[in-house]
Every structure is written in C-alpha cells, then in structure tokens.
Amino acid sequence: MTLFPEMFPGPLGHSLAGQALVAGIWSLETTPLRAFGLGRHNAVDDTPAGGGAGMVIRADVLGPAIDAAATKTNPEARHIYLSPRGRPLTQALAHELADGPGVLLVAGRFEGIDQRVIDGRQLEEISIGDYVLSGGELGAMVLLDAVVRLLPGVVGAQESLAHESFETGLLEHPQYTRPRTWEGRDIPDVLLSGDHAKMAKWREDEALALTTARRPDLINKLGGKTKTE
Ligand code: SAM
C-alpha cells in the first residue's frame, strides 16, 4: 500500500530477490493509495487534528484501501505499518516473517497515518531503525529484501546464511578472496592452511572479537554464552 507504486519492485527487481520474483518464489502486488483518494484531486491527506506541522493520511482513505488490498492477500497475512515507532526489524523477525503466510505492508508518508487505522485494522508497527525516513517505501523494501533472501531457493547455498551476522548472535568474521596479497596486505595464513578445524576456530574467535568491540549489546544478549566456550 503506497502513494508511489512505481517505486516497486525497484531494487527488489534485481539480483537474488529479482531472480526469485521472476521464478515465482515470492510475488508482489502494489496497491496505489491515490486510487482511494477523495474528491476531484483524489486527496489522501489532511491537516493534523489539534494543529501542528505537516499532513496526515486520512483514515477514511487508508481504511478502505487496506480492506481492498486485504482481499488480494493471504487472509492470514500480517498487516504491517512501517513506522519509526515500531518494533525493530531484526534477523529473528525476518525469519518469523519468512516462515509466515505473507505480509500486507503499509508505507506511510507525510507525518504518518491516522491512529484510528492502526487501531481499527490492528496494524503491527515495524521500524527499520532509529532514524526517520520520508516514507515507508524504502522501509518496506528493506523488510522485503531481508525476508525474501531467507525463502528456500533464493540464496543458493543455504549454509552460507547460517554463519551470517546475527544468525549466531554475533557479527560475521572478516572475509577474504584472491589475490593472496593486495597492496602489501596478506590473507591470514590460517585461511590458506587447509586445516578446517583451525579455520573454524579462527572464524569464531574473529567473530567474537569483532562483536565485542563493535556491538557489546549483542554479547550481553548472549548472556556470556558463545560457541567458542
Ligand atoms: N511523524 C512521524 C514520527 O515522528 O514518528 C514520522 C513520519 S515519516 C516522515 C513518514 C513515513 O515514513 C512514516 O509514516 C513511515 O511509514 C515511514 N518511516 C519513517 N521512518 C521509518 C523507520 N525508521 N522505519 C520504518 N518506516 C519509517
């Protein structure tokens, strides 16, 4: 649900998500909010009740638009409003959505949407981070990209997903590829040793060190338990 349907699939039409879209592993239908606008100008917004800056998307426009979109979506689909006030999007939530029956995503604009739609249509609010975007479309794309790559058949080698940042509770270890030496910098010897146990230990140690330095909050969440212990 968006005021700018022409933005989609946008980046999601490329690379892995794009190939999966063509292959029918996932599908996307945009509903143009403007089609539900009121009056000669198809107005979708109005001034905030009680005054204040900006405009708010009207309940009597968005409500019917969501109802129409819901008829084209899996009846079990989660109805989500992309919102800076929402539950943070995490890898765990992306897995939850990838395992689910689909989503109906509402992209806000202006100052947001009338609270009565959130309450009346029981929209789940999800945020992609602690910053304010100008619209929910990029948020919807971020959420879709994170979810779609978890669908079976989208990423070739599923084991490559298992060690990615956040999957183990840690950030990922550093990655290297050819050439062996670049601008005087070498690939760490251990990665060229062919000793798989040593390489696995090195990757775990690096992941732990990196996470400790950059995201101590993730280490705290692990409660002191790491794979290396
Ligand atoms: N007035 C709102 C506030 O202060 O919370 C911000 C509105 S923002 C300019 C317009 C729209 O962008 C929102 O309705 C929402 O759909 C989207 N948006 C902005 N930041 C977002 C975020 N961090 N995560 C998800 N969606 C966001």
Side-chain angles (χ1 to χ4, degrees):
M1 171 70 48
T2 170
L3 262 175
F4 300 100
E6 63 282 5
M7 283 188 182
F8 291 87
L12 300 173
H14 298 267
S15 190
L16 291 176
Q19 287 156 19
L21 188 58
V22 171
I25 295 176
W26 70 292
S27 63
L28 170 78
E29 187 163 352
T30 47
T31 301
L33 185 59
R34 187 66 69 187
F36 296 83
L38 305 173
R40 215 154 47 91
H41 299 292
N42 299 108
V44 300
D45 55 329
D46 213 324
T47 51
M55 302 294 272
V56 176
I57 296 180
R58 292 175 61 121
D60 53 355
V61 172
L62 186 54
I66 290 175
D67 296 343
T71 64
K72 298 183 278 173
T73 317
N74 185 320
E76 304 295 319
R78 282 162 76 160
H79 292 188
I80 293 168
Y81 167 46
L82 279 306
S83 156
R85 304 183 314 190
R87 170 184 173 191
L89 176 64
T90 59
Q91 192 66 9
L93 179 52
H95 274 287
E96 208 180 293
L97 296 174
D99 292 341
V103 287
L104 190 162
L105 301 174
V106 177
R109 280 274 154 183
F110 318 119
E111 289 307 315
I113 67 178
D114 190 303
Q115 182 63 38
R116 292 169 293 180
V117 186
I118 300 175
D119 298 338
R121 294 296 179 273
Q122 295 177 328
L123 302 183
E124 222 180 302
E125 293 185 65
I126 293 182
S127 164
I128 66 153
D130 289 346
Y131 40 78
V132 179
L133 304 168
S134 355
E137 289 79 6
L138 287 174
M141 287 178 200
V142 167
L143 182 147
L144 287 171
D145 187 67
V147 171
V148 163
R149 67 194 298 282
L150 298 176
L151 298 175
V154 176
V155 173
Q158 285 292 307
E159 74 267 22
S160 76
L161 294 177
H163 298 286
E164 287 191 315
S165 297
F166 310 113
E167 294 292 351
T168 56
L170 298 175
L171 303 178
E172 195 184 55
H173 55 78
Q175 300 274 13
Y176 299 88
T177 186
R178 280 185 276 270
R180 187 175 184 144
T181 303
W182 179 75
E183 294 189 349
R185 294 168 194 268
D186 295 329
I187 294 177
D189 286 340
V190 61
L191 295 179
L192 305 169
S193 69
D195 183 331
H196 291 280
K198 258 195 197 159
M199 288 193 274
K201 171 84 170 70
W202 180 88
R203 287 179 170 141
E204 278 182 19
D205 289 349
E206 289 290 317
L208 185 58
L210 206 95
T211 312
T212 305
R214 295 186 186 174
R215 293 290 303 275
D217 58 307
L218 294 179
I219 300 288
N220 291 341
K221 267 193 210 152
L222 286 173
K225 288 198 197 93
T226 68
K227 276 179 75 186
T228 48
E229 284 171 355

PDB file of all heavy atoms in Angstrom, residues 109-146:
ATOM      1  N   ARG A 109       3.467   8.231   4.657  1.00  0.00           N
ATOM      2  CA  ARG A 109       4.107   9.447   4.103  1.00  0.00           C
ATOM      3  C   ARG A 109       3.725  10.602   4.997  1.00  0.00           C
ATOM      4  O   ARG A 109       2.921  10.456   5.913  1.00  0.00           O
ATOM      5  CB  ARG A 109       3.618   9.718   2.667  1.00  0.00           C
ATOM      6  CG  ARG A 109       4.309   8.861   1.624  1.00  0.00           C
ATOM      7  CD  ARG A 109       5.619   9.508   1.149  1.00  0.00           C
ATOM      8  NE  ARG A 109       6.573   8.521   0.644  1.00  0.00           N
ATOM      9  CZ  ARG A 109       7.788   8.815   0.222  1.00  0.00           C
ATOM     10  NH1 ARG A 109       8.213  10.076   0.239  1.00  0.00           N
ATOM     11  NH2 ARG A 109       8.600   7.890  -0.189  1.00  0.00           N
ATOM     12  N   PHE A 110       4.227  11.763   4.725  1.00  0.00           N
ATOM     13  CA  PHE A 110       3.922  12.983   5.488  1.00  0.00           C
ATOM     14  C   PHE A 110       4.249  12.769   6.974  1.00  0.00           C
ATOM     15  O   PHE A 110       5.288  12.217   7.283  1.00  0.00           O
ATOM     16  CB  PHE A 110       2.458  13.404   5.285  1.00  0.00           C
ATOM     17  CG  PHE A 110       1.981  13.271   3.865  1.00  0.00           C
ATOM     18  CD1 PHE A 110       0.927  12.433   3.524  1.00  0.00           C
ATOM     19  CD2 PHE A 110       2.630  13.959   2.834  1.00  0.00           C
ATOM     20  CE1 PHE A 110       0.505  12.305   2.207  1.00  0.00           C
ATOM     21  CE2 PHE A 110       2.213  13.833   1.514  1.00  0.00           C
ATOM     22  CZ  PHE A 110       1.141  13.009   1.202  1.00  0.00           C
ATOM     23  N   GLU A 111       3.323  13.150   7.874  1.00  0.00           N
ATOM     24  CA  GLU A 111       3.554  12.946   9.309  1.00  0.00           C
ATOM     25  C   GLU A 111       3.149  11.547   9.748  1.00  0.00           C
ATOM     26  O   GLU A 111       3.263  11.198  10.924  1.00  0.00           O
ATOM     27  CB  GLU A 111       2.796  13.987  10.134  1.00  0.00           C
ATOM     28  CG  GLU A 111       3.368  15.380  10.044  1.00  0.00           C
ATOM     29  CD  GLU A 111       4.863  15.430  10.367  1.00  0.00           C
ATOM     30  OE1 GLU A 111       5.299  14.802  11.347  1.00  0.00           O
ATOM     31  OE2 GLU A 111       5.598  16.096   9.604  1.00  0.00           O
ATOM     32  N   GLY A 112       2.632  10.757   8.808  1.00  0.00           N
ATOM     33  CA  GLY A 112       2.204   9.403   9.151  1.00  0.00           C
ATOM     34  C   GLY A 112       0.740   9.188   8.838  1.00  0.00           C
ATOM     35  O   GLY A 112       0.155   9.900   8.012  1.00  0.00           O
ATOM     36  N   ILE A 113       0.143   8.207   9.532  1.00  0.00           N
ATOM     37  CA  ILE A 113      -1.244   7.850   9.239  1.00  0.00           C
ATOM     38  C   ILE A 113      -2.110   8.056  10.477  1.00  0.00           C
ATOM     39  O   ILE A 113      -1.608   8.044  11.606  1.00  0.00           O
ATOM     40  CB  ILE A 113      -1.350   6.389   8.731  1.00  0.00           C
ATOM     41  CG1 ILE A 113      -0.999   5.379   9.837  1.00  0.00           C
ATOM     42  CG2 ILE A 113      -0.425   6.169   7.517  1.00  0.00           C
ATOM     43  CD1 ILE A 113      -1.136   3.916   9.401  1.00  0.00           C
ATOM     44  N   ASP A 114      -3.390   8.206  10.261  1.00  0.00           N
ATOM     45  CA  ASP A 114      -4.353   8.420  11.356  1.00  0.00           C
ATOM     46  C   ASP A 114      -4.318   7.200  12.298  1.00  0.00           C
ATOM     47  O   ASP A 114      -4.419   6.055  11.848  1.00  0.00           O
ATOM     48  CB  ASP A 114      -5.759   8.593  10.735  1.00  0.00           C
ATOM     49  CG  ASP A 114      -6.781   9.068  11.754  1.00  0.00           C
ATOM     50  OD1 ASP A 114      -6.959   8.376  12.785  1.00  0.00           O
ATOM     51  OD2 ASP A 114      -7.421  10.112  11.509  1.00  0.00           O
ATOM     52  N   GLN A 115      -4.156   7.478  13.574  1.00  0.00           N
ATOM     53  CA  GLN A 115      -4.027   6.407  14.591  1.00  0.00           C
ATOM     54  C   GLN A 115      -5.211   5.438  14.548  1.00  0.00           C
ATOM     55  O   GLN A 115      -5.066   4.253  14.862  1.00  0.00           O
ATOM     56  CB  GLN A 115      -3.918   7.051  15.985  1.00  0.00           C
ATOM     57  CG  GLN A 115      -3.737   6.069  17.137  1.00  0.00           C
ATOM     58  CD  GLN A 115      -2.431   5.281  17.047  1.00  0.00           C
ATOM     59  OE1 GLN A 115      -1.397   5.813  16.647  1.00  0.00           O
ATOM     60  NE2 GLN A 115      -2.469   3.999  17.417  1.00  0.00           N
ATOM     61  N   ARG A 116      -6.396   5.937  14.140  1.00  0.00           N
ATOM     62  CA  ARG A 116      -7.564   5.054  14.165  1.00  0.00           C
ATOM     63  C   ARG A 116      -7.453   3.910  13.174  1.00  0.00           C
ATOM     64  O   ARG A 116      -8.067   2.862  13.354  1.00  0.00           O
ATOM     65  CB  ARG A 116      -8.835   5.888  13.914  1.00  0.00           C
ATOM     66  CG  ARG A 116      -9.136   6.830  15.081  1.00  0.00           C
ATOM     67  CD  ARG A 116     -10.196   7.817  14.724  1.00  0.00           C
ATOM     68  NE  ARG A 116      -9.737   8.751  13.690  1.00  0.00           N
ATOM     69  CZ  ARG A 116     -10.483   9.726  13.185  1.00  0.00           C
ATOM     70  NH1 ARG A 116     -11.732   9.900  13.606  1.00  0.00           N
ATOM     71  NH2 ARG A 116      -9.994  10.538  12.262  1.00  0.00           N
ATOM     72  N   VAL A 117      -6.649   4.104  12.109  1.00  0.00           N
ATOM     73  CA  VAL A 117      -6.438   2.990  11.171  1.00  0.00           C
ATOM     74  C   VAL A 117      -5.532   1.936  11.823  1.00  0.00           C
ATOM     75  O   VAL A 117      -5.763   0.734  11.697  1.00  0.00           O
ATOM     76  CB  VAL A 117      -5.796   3.472   9.852  1.00  0.00           C
ATOM     77  CG1 VAL A 117      -5.717   2.342   8.845  1.00  0.00           C
ATOM     78  CG2 VAL A 117      -6.571   4.632   9.273  1.00  0.00           C
ATOM     79  N   ILE A 118      -4.505   2.416  12.526  1.00  0.00           N
ATOM     80  CA  ILE A 118      -3.591   1.487  13.213  1.00  0.00           C
ATOM     81  C   ILE A 118      -4.392   0.636  14.208  1.00  0.00           C
ATOM     82  O   ILE A 118      -4.265  -0.588  14.253  1.00  0.00           O
ATOM     83  CB  ILE A 118      -2.470   2.260  13.943  1.00  0.00           C
ATOM     84  CG1 ILE A 118      -1.657   3.096  12.940  1.00  0.00           C
ATOM     85  CG2 ILE A 118      -1.569   1.310  14.724  1.00  0.00           C
ATOM     86  CD1 ILE A 118      -0.597   3.995  13.557  1.00  0.00           C
ATOM     87  N   ASP A 119      -5.264   1.323  14.960  1.00  0.00           N
ATOM     88  CA  ASP A 119      -6.048   0.621  15.975  1.00  0.00           C
ATOM     89  C   ASP A 119      -7.143  -0.239  15.334  1.00  0.00           C
ATOM     90  O   ASP A 119      -7.296  -1.409  15.652  1.00  0.00           O
ATOM     91  CB  ASP A 119      -6.702   1.635  16.932  1.00  0.00           C
ATOM     92  CG  ASP A 119      -5.645   2.458  17.671  1.00  0.00           C
ATOM     93  OD1 ASP A 119      -4.495   1.990  17.778  1.00  0.00           O
ATOM     94  OD2 ASP A 119      -5.983   3.580  18.116  1.00  0.00           O
ATOM     95  N   GLY A 120      -7.884   0.364  14.407  1.00  0.00           N
ATOM     96  CA  GLY A 120      -9.053  -0.307  13.824  1.00  0.00           C
ATOM     97  C   GLY A 120      -8.684  -1.490  12.941  1.00  0.00           C
ATOM     98  O   GLY A 120      -9.428  -2.472  12.866  1.00  0.00           O
ATOM     99  N   ARG A 121      -7.549  -1.408  12.259  1.00  0.00           N
ATOM    100  CA  ARG A 121      -7.135  -2.518  11.376  1.00  0.00           C
ATOM    101  C   ARG A 121      -6.026  -3.334  12.027  1.00  0.00           C
ATOM    102  O   ARG A 121      -5.424  -4.175  11.391  1.00  0.00           O
ATOM    103  CB  ARG A 121      -6.663  -1.982  10.007  1.00  0.00           C
ATOM    104  CG  ARG A 121      -7.759  -1.332   9.188  1.00  0.00           C
ATOM    105  CD  ARG A 121      -8.848  -2.339   8.791  1.00  0.00           C
ATOM    106  NE  ARG A 121      -9.910  -1.687   8.014  1.00  0.00           N
ATOM    107  CZ  ARG A 121     -10.956  -1.093   8.554  1.00  0.00           C
ATOM    108  NH1 ARG A 121     -11.117  -1.087   9.866  1.00  0.00           N
ATOM    109  NH2 ARG A 121     -11.869  -0.518   7.784  1.00  0.00           N
ATOM    110  N   GLN A 122      -5.784  -3.066  13.289  1.00  0.00           N
ATOM    111  CA  GLN A 122      -4.778  -3.792  14.081  1.00  0.00           C
ATOM    112  C   GLN A 122      -3.460  -3.954  13.332  1.00  0.00           C
ATOM    113  O   GLN A 122      -2.970  -5.074  13.131  1.00  0.00           O
ATOM    114  CB  GLN A 122      -5.334  -5.143  14.504  1.00  0.00           C
ATOM    115  CG  GLN A 122      -6.497  -4.947  15.449  1.00  0.00           C
ATOM    116  CD  GLN A 122      -7.148  -6.247  15.859  1.00  0.00           C
ATOM    117  OE1 GLN A 122      -7.179  -7.203  15.091  1.00  0.00           O
ATOM    118  NE2 GLN A 122      -7.676  -6.274  17.050  1.00  0.00           N
ATOM    119  N   LEU A 123      -2.926  -2.816  12.882  1.00  0.00           N
ATOM    120  CA  LEU A 123      -1.658  -2.849  12.160  1.00  0.00           C
ATOM    121  C   LEU A 123      -0.517  -3.038  13.147  1.00  0.00           C
ATOM    122  O   LEU A 123      -0.485  -2.399  14.201  1.00  0.00           O
ATOM    123  CB  LEU A 123      -1.452  -1.544  11.375  1.00  0.00           C
ATOM    124  CG  LEU A 123      -2.526  -1.172  10.356  1.00  0.00           C
ATOM    125  CD1 LEU A 123      -2.129   0.106   9.621  1.00  0.00           C
ATOM    126  CD2 LEU A 123      -2.761  -2.307   9.356  1.00  0.00           C
ATOM    127  N   GLU A 124       0.399  -3.906  12.784  1.00  0.00           N
ATOM    128  CA  GLU A 124       1.603  -4.129  13.566  1.00  0.00           C
ATOM    129  C   GLU A 124       2.603  -3.074  13.108  1.00  0.00           C
ATOM    130  O   GLU A 124       2.835  -2.950  11.902  1.00  0.00           O
ATOM    131  CB  GLU A 124       2.134  -5.481  13.116  1.00  0.00           C
ATOM    132  CG  GLU A 124       2.641  -6.409  14.138  1.00  0.00           C
ATOM    133  CD  GLU A 124       3.109  -7.700  13.452  1.00  0.00           C
ATOM    134  OE1 GLU A 124       2.318  -8.362  12.765  1.00  0.00           O
ATOM    135  OE2 GLU A 124       4.270  -8.003  13.603  1.00  0.00           O
ATOM    136  N   GLU A 125       3.198  -2.327  14.011  1.00  0.00           N
ATOM    137  CA  GLU A 125       4.179  -1.313  13.592  1.00  0.00           C
ATOM    138  C   GLU A 125       5.582  -1.907  13.644  1.00  0.00           C
ATOM    139  O   GLU A 125       5.985  -2.466  14.664  1.00  0.00           O
ATOM    140  CB  GLU A 125       4.083  -0.080  14.488  1.00  0.00           C
ATOM    141  CG  GLU A 125       2.767   0.671  14.307  1.00  0.00           C
ATOM    142  CD  GLU A 125       2.717   1.962  15.106  1.00  0.00           C
ATOM    143  OE1 GLU A 125       3.500   2.882  14.816  1.00  0.00           O
ATOM    144  OE2 GLU A 125       1.892   2.036  16.030  1.00  0.00           O
ATOM    145  N   ILE A 126       6.307  -1.788  12.526  1.00  0.00           N
ATOM    146  CA  ILE A 126       7.690  -2.288  12.462  1.00  0.00           C
ATOM    147  C   ILE A 126       8.592  -1.169  11.958  1.00  0.00           C
ATOM    148  O   ILE A 126       8.288  -0.484  10.977  1.00  0.00           O
ATOM    149  CB  ILE A 126       7.796  -3.532  11.556  1.00  0.00           C
ATOM    150  CG1 ILE A 126       7.047  -4.707  12.203  1.00  0.00           C
ATOM    151  CG2 ILE A 126       9.263  -3.906  11.309  1.00  0.00           C
ATOM    152  CD1 ILE A 126       7.109  -6.009  11.446  1.00  0.00           C
ATOM    153  N   SER A 127       9.714  -0.996  12.662  1.00  0.00           N
ATOM    154  CA  SER A 127      10.687   0.047  12.318  1.00  0.00           C
ATOM    155  C   SER A 127      11.944  -0.590  11.737  1.00  0.00           C
ATOM    156  O   SER A 127      12.366  -1.656  12.182  1.00  0.00           O
ATOM    157  CB  SER A 127      11.060   0.827  13.586  1.00  0.00           C
ATOM    158  OG  SER A 127      12.236   1.577  13.363  1.00  0.00           O
ATOM    159  N   ILE A 128      12.551   0.068  10.761  1.00  0.00           N
ATOM    160  CA  ILE A 128      13.824  -0.470  10.234  1.00  0.00           C
ATOM    161  C   ILE A 128      15.025   0.210  10.898  1.00  0.00           C
ATOM    162  O   ILE A 128      16.159  -0.075  10.547  1.00  0.00           O
ATOM    163  CB  ILE A 128      13.920  -0.387   8.697  1.00  0.00           C
ATOM    164  CG1 ILE A 128      13.978   1.050   8.198  1.00  0.00           C
ATOM    165  CG2 ILE A 128      12.791  -1.160   8.042  1.00  0.00           C
ATOM    166  CD1 ILE A 128      14.703   1.155   6.860  1.00  0.00           C
ATOM    167  N   GLY A 129      14.801   1.067  11.864  1.00  0.00           N
ATOM    168  CA  GLY A 129      15.940   1.658  12.573  1.00  0.00           C
ATOM    169  C   GLY A 129      15.576   2.978  13.223  1.00  0.00           C
ATOM    170  O   GLY A 129      14.529   3.566  12.931  1.00  0.00           O
ATOM    171  N   ASP A 130      16.448   3.420  14.097  1.00  0.00           N
ATOM    172  CA  ASP A 130      16.191   4.645  14.858  1.00  0.00           C
ATOM    173  C   ASP A 130      16.592   5.885  14.073  1.00  0.00           C
ATOM    174  O   ASP A 130      17.579   6.559  14.412  1.00  0.00           O
ATOM    175  CB  ASP A 130      16.935   4.595  16.204  1.00  0.00           C
ATOM    176  CG  ASP A 130      16.305   3.589  17.154  1.00  0.00           C
ATOM    177  OD1 ASP A 130      15.176   3.139  16.876  1.00  0.00           O
ATOM    178  OD2 ASP A 130      16.945   3.246  18.164  1.00  0.00           O
ATOM    179  N   TYR A 131      15.870   6.146  13.031  1.00  0.00           N
ATOM    180  CA  TYR A 131      16.040   7.351  12.208  1.00  0.00           C
ATOM    181  C   TYR A 131      14.727   7.534  11.469  1.00  0.00           C
ATOM    182  O   TYR A 131      13.904   6.611  11.432  1.00  0.00           O
ATOM    183  CB  TYR A 131      17.206   7.205  11.222  1.00  0.00           C
ATOM    184  CG  TYR A 131      17.288   5.835  10.612  1.00  0.00           C
ATOM    185  CD1 TYR A 131      16.432   5.467   9.573  1.00  0.00           C
ATOM    186  CD2 TYR A 131      18.171   4.888  11.106  1.00  0.00           C
ATOM    187  CE1 TYR A 131      16.480   4.200   9.036  1.00  0.00           C
ATOM    188  CE2 TYR A 131      18.222   3.608  10.575  1.00  0.00           C
ATOM    189  CZ  TYR A 131      17.371   3.268   9.538  1.00  0.00           C
ATOM    190  OH  TYR A 131      17.416   2.001   9.025  1.00  0.00           O
ATOM    191  N   VAL A 132      14.517   8.713  10.897  1.00  0.00           N
ATOM    192  CA  VAL A 132      13.232   8.979  10.246  1.00  0.00           C
ATOM    193  C   VAL A 132      13.417   9.076   8.729  1.00  0.00           C
ATOM    194  O   VAL A 132      14.193   9.898   8.239  1.00  0.00           O
ATOM    195  CB  VAL A 132      12.588  10.266  10.801  1.00  0.00           C
ATOM    196  CG1 VAL A 132      11.264  10.546  10.106  1.00  0.00           C
ATOM    197  CG2 VAL A 132      12.370  10.148  12.300  1.00  0.00           C
ATOM    198  N   LEU A 133      12.728   8.218   8.011  1.00  0.00           N
ATOM    199  CA  LEU A 133      12.710   8.260   6.547  1.00  0.00           C
ATOM    200  C   LEU A 133      11.587   9.186   6.106  1.00  0.00           C
ATOM    201  O   LEU A 133      10.687   9.495   6.890  1.00  0.00           O
ATOM    202  CB  LEU A 133      12.417   6.864   5.985  1.00  0.00           C
ATOM    203  CG  LEU A 133      13.342   5.722   6.408  1.00  0.00           C
ATOM    204  CD1 LEU A 133      12.739   4.382   6.017  1.00  0.00           C
ATOM    205  CD2 LEU A 133      14.703   5.907   5.775  1.00  0.00           C
ATOM    206  N   SER A 134      11.597   9.576   4.827  1.00  0.00           N
ATOM    207  CA  SER A 134      10.484  10.424   4.355  1.00  0.00           C
ATOM    208  C   SER A 134       9.262   9.607   4.009  1.00  0.00           C
ATOM    209  O   SER A 134       8.180  10.162   3.836  1.00  0.00           O
ATOM    210  CB  SER A 134      10.866  11.262   3.134  1.00  0.00           C
ATOM    211  OG  SER A 134      12.178  11.143   2.787  1.00  0.00           O
ATOM    212  N   GLY A 135       9.433   8.299   3.863  1.00  0.00           N
ATOM    213  CA  GLY A 135       8.282   7.466   3.530  1.00  0.00           C
ATOM    214  C   GLY A 135       8.562   6.024   3.861  1.00  0.00           C
ATOM    215  O   GLY A 135       9.717   5.625   4.026  1.00  0.00           O
ATOM    216  N   GLY A 136       7.518   5.227   3.927  1.00  0.00           N
ATOM    217  CA  GLY A 136       7.664   3.823   4.315  1.00  0.00           C
ATOM    218  C   GLY A 136       8.129   2.904   3.189  1.00  0.00           C
ATOM    219  O   GLY A 136       8.412   1.733   3.432  1.00  0.00           O
ATOM    220  N   GLU A 137       8.208   3.433   1.951  1.00  0.00           N
ATOM    221  CA  GLU A 137       8.542   2.554   0.825  1.00  0.00           C
ATOM    222  C   GLU A 137       9.916   1.913   0.977  1.00  0.00           C
ATOM    223  O   GLU A 137      10.081   0.712   0.761  1.00  0.00           O
ATOM    224  CB  GLU A 137       8.468   3.324  -0.506  1.00  0.00           C
ATOM    225  CG  GLU A 137       7.057   3.681  -0.949  1.00  0.00           C
ATOM    226  CD  GLU A 137       6.466   4.886  -0.225  1.00  0.00           C
ATOM    227  OE1 GLU A 137       7.188   5.544   0.561  1.00  0.00           O
ATOM    228  OE2 GLU A 137       5.274   5.177  -0.439  1.00  0.00           O
ATOM    229  N   LEU A 138      10.925   2.716   1.325  1.00  0.00           N
ATOM    230  CA  LEU A 138      12.267   2.152   1.491  1.00  0.00           C
ATOM    231  C   LEU A 138      12.276   1.163   2.653  1.00  0.00           C
ATOM    232  O   LEU A 138      12.952   0.132   2.598  1.00  0.00           O
ATOM    233  CB  LEU A 138      13.306   3.260   1.712  1.00  0.00           C
ATOM    234  CG  LEU A 138      13.654   4.078   0.471  1.00  0.00           C
ATOM    235  CD1 LEU A 138      14.576   5.233   0.847  1.00  0.00           C
ATOM    236  CD2 LEU A 138      14.336   3.211  -0.575  1.00  0.00           C
ATOM    237  N   GLY A 139      11.524   1.466   3.685  1.00  0.00           N
ATOM    238  CA  GLY A 139      11.405   0.541   4.819  1.00  0.00           C
ATOM    239  C   GLY A 139      10.813  -0.783   4.372  1.00  0.00           C
ATOM    240  O   GLY A 139      11.292  -1.856   4.746  1.00  0.00           O
ATOM    241  N   ALA A 140       9.759  -0.704   3.550  1.00  0.00           N
ATOM    242  CA  ALA A 140       9.116  -1.925   3.039  1.00  0.00           C
ATOM    243  C   ALA A 140      10.108  -2.727   2.204  1.00  0.00           C
ATOM    244  O   ALA A 140      10.173  -3.950   2.290  1.00  0.00           O
ATOM    245  CB  ALA A 140       7.887  -1.556   2.207  1.00  0.00           C
ATOM    246  N   MET A 141      10.915  -2.024   1.411  1.00  0.00           N
ATOM    247  CA  MET A 141      11.892  -2.723   0.563  1.00  0.00           C
ATOM    248  C   MET A 141      12.968  -3.391   1.413  1.00  0.00           C
ATOM    249  O   MET A 141      13.381  -4.517   1.122  1.00  0.00           O
ATOM    250  CB  MET A 141      12.538  -1.750  -0.419  1.00  0.00           C
ATOM    251  CG  MET A 141      11.591  -1.329  -1.527  1.00  0.00           C
ATOM    252  SD  MET A 141      12.410  -0.133  -2.596  1.00  0.00           S
ATOM    253  CE  MET A 141      10.986   0.614  -3.372  1.00  0.00           C
ATOM    254  N   VAL A 142      13.414  -2.707   2.447  1.00  0.00           N
ATOM    255  CA  VAL A 142      14.423  -3.288   3.344  1.00  0.00           C
ATOM    256  C   VAL A 142      13.855  -4.548   3.995  1.00  0.00           C
ATOM    257  O   VAL A 142      14.485  -5.611   4.012  1.00  0.00           O
ATOM    258  CB  VAL A 142      14.858  -2.265   4.419  1.00  0.00           C
ATOM    259  CG1 VAL A 142      15.657  -2.918   5.529  1.00  0.00           C
ATOM    260  CG2 VAL A 142      15.668  -1.139   3.772  1.00  0.00           C
ATOM    261  N   LEU A 143      12.631  -4.436   4.503  1.00  0.00           N
ATOM    262  CA  LEU A 143      11.997  -5.592   5.153  1.00  0.00           C
ATOM    263  C   LEU A 143      11.855  -6.744   4.152  1.00  0.00           C
ATOM    264  O   LEU A 143      12.233  -7.886   4.439  1.00  0.00           O
ATOM    265  CB  LEU A 143      10.630  -5.175   5.708  1.00  0.00           C
ATOM    266  CG  LEU A 143       9.831  -6.240   6.456  1.00  0.00           C
ATOM    267  CD1 LEU A 143       9.010  -5.598   7.570  1.00  0.00           C
ATOM    268  CD2 LEU A 143       8.916  -7.040   5.546  1.00  0.00           C
ATOM    269  N   LEU A 144      11.365  -6.441   2.954  1.00  0.00           N
ATOM    270  CA  LEU A 144      11.158  -7.494   1.948  1.00  0.00           C
ATOM    271  C   LEU A 144      12.482  -8.147   1.559  1.00  0.00           C
ATOM    272  O   LEU A 144      12.564  -9.372   1.436  1.00  0.00           O
ATOM    273  CB  LEU A 144      10.459  -6.925   0.714  1.00  0.00           C
ATOM    274  CG  LEU A 144       8.971  -6.601   0.910  1.00  0.00           C
ATOM    275  CD1 LEU A 144       8.420  -5.845  -0.291  1.00  0.00           C
ATOM    276  CD2 LEU A 144       8.167  -7.876   1.142  1.00  0.00           C
ATOM    277  N   ASP A 145      13.521  -7.343   1.386  1.00  0.00           N
ATOM    278  CA  ASP A 145      14.807  -7.913   0.991  1.00  0.00           C
ATOM    279  C   ASP A 145      15.323  -8.865   2.070  1.00  0.00           C
ATOM    280  O   ASP A 145      15.797  -9.966   1.769  1.00  0.00           O
ATOM    281  CB  ASP A 145      15.834  -6.808   0.720  1.00  0.00           C
ATOM    282  CG  ASP A 145      17.117  -7.374   0.144  1.00  0.00           C
ATOM    283  OD1 ASP A 145      17.083  -7.869  -0.992  1.00  0.00           O
ATOM    284  OD2 ASP A 145      18.136  -7.385   0.842  1.00  0.00           O
ATOM    285  N   ALA A 146      15.235  -8.424   3.329  1.00  0.00           N
ATOM    286  CA  ALA A 146      15.725  -9.266   4.433  1.00  0.00           C
ATOM    287  C   ALA A 146      14.934 -10.567   4.523  1.00  0.00           C
ATOM    288  O   ALA A 146      15.486 -11.622   4.836  1.00  0.00           O
ATOM    289  CB  ALA A 146      15.621  -8.499   5.755  1.00  0.00           C
TER     290      ALA A 146
END
